Amino acid sequence: MTKNGHDRETGNSLQPKYDSNGLITAVVSDDSSGELLMLAHMNAEALQLTQDSGVAHFFSRSRQCLWKKGETSGNILSVTEMRIDCDQDALWIKAVPAGPACHTGQQSCFYRKIVDGKLELVV
């Protein structure tokens, strides 16, 4: 329990549980279709920028820097709702995409399925 009597799992205080690298996992789905668009990570700054601006920001583990989704492509994700799981270590972001969510040009980063150990495009 925290000082004000609310705990992380049932209280109403946002207390993200970041991992040892200061990151929290975020999944993004299309607000209208429900399609899973992407999975990324956020640090505290990315989470705050997303809340303040209404546009999804993430932290790139490979580049070790903050990035605004769609900053170069124009395919921003306008956030309509953010949810956090019960122990506050994962986020679910519902968003309106301004174009393909995947850097490959696919609508979703999850555009392939595994069939008999091989990958097939989802049609």
Side-chain angles (χ1 to χ4, degrees):
M1 300 287 266
T2 60
K3 276 173 54 174
N4 64 7
H6 295 283
D7 68 357
R8 179 177 267 137
E9 293 183 359
T10 61
N12 62 2
S13 176
L14 180 61
Q15 302 172 47
K17 190 186 325 179
Y18 298 98
D19 67 15
S20 60
N21 295 311
L23 302 175
I24 189 170
T25 301
V27 295
V28 182
S29 65
D30 186 300
D31 184 56
S32 61
S33 71
E35 179 181 18
L36 180 60
L37 297 176
M38 61 180 287
L39 179 140
H41 297 86
M42 293 179 149
N43 61 7
E45 184 179 7
L47 178 56
Q48 191 63 56
L49 281 169
T50 299
Q51 291 178 87
D52 292 346
S53 70
V55 175
H57 288 72
F58 302 102
F59 185 84
S60 171
R61 295 183 302 171
S62 60
R63 295 186 313 267
Q64 289 294 297
C65 66
L66 191 69
W67 58 284
K68 174 180 159 185
K69 177 66 177 144
E71 190 165 31
T72 56
S73 67
N75 298 333
I76 65 167
L77 294 169
S78 298
V79 176
T80 57
E81 183 177 357
M82 293 179 69
R83 296 187 188 188
I84 197 158
D85 75 336
C86 56
D87 55 359
Q88 297 200 41
D89 66 356
L91 295 165
W92 174 16
I93 298 170
K94 295 181 180 186
V96 176
C102 185
H103 73 282
T104 65
Q106 296 288 331
Q107 186 62 31
S108 166
C109 292
F110 296 90
Y111 60 91
R112 298 175 291 179
K113 61 183 173 181
I114 303 169
V115 179
D116 296 327
K118 295 185 180 178
L119 300 179
E120 292 181 5
L121 288 176
V122 175
V123 202

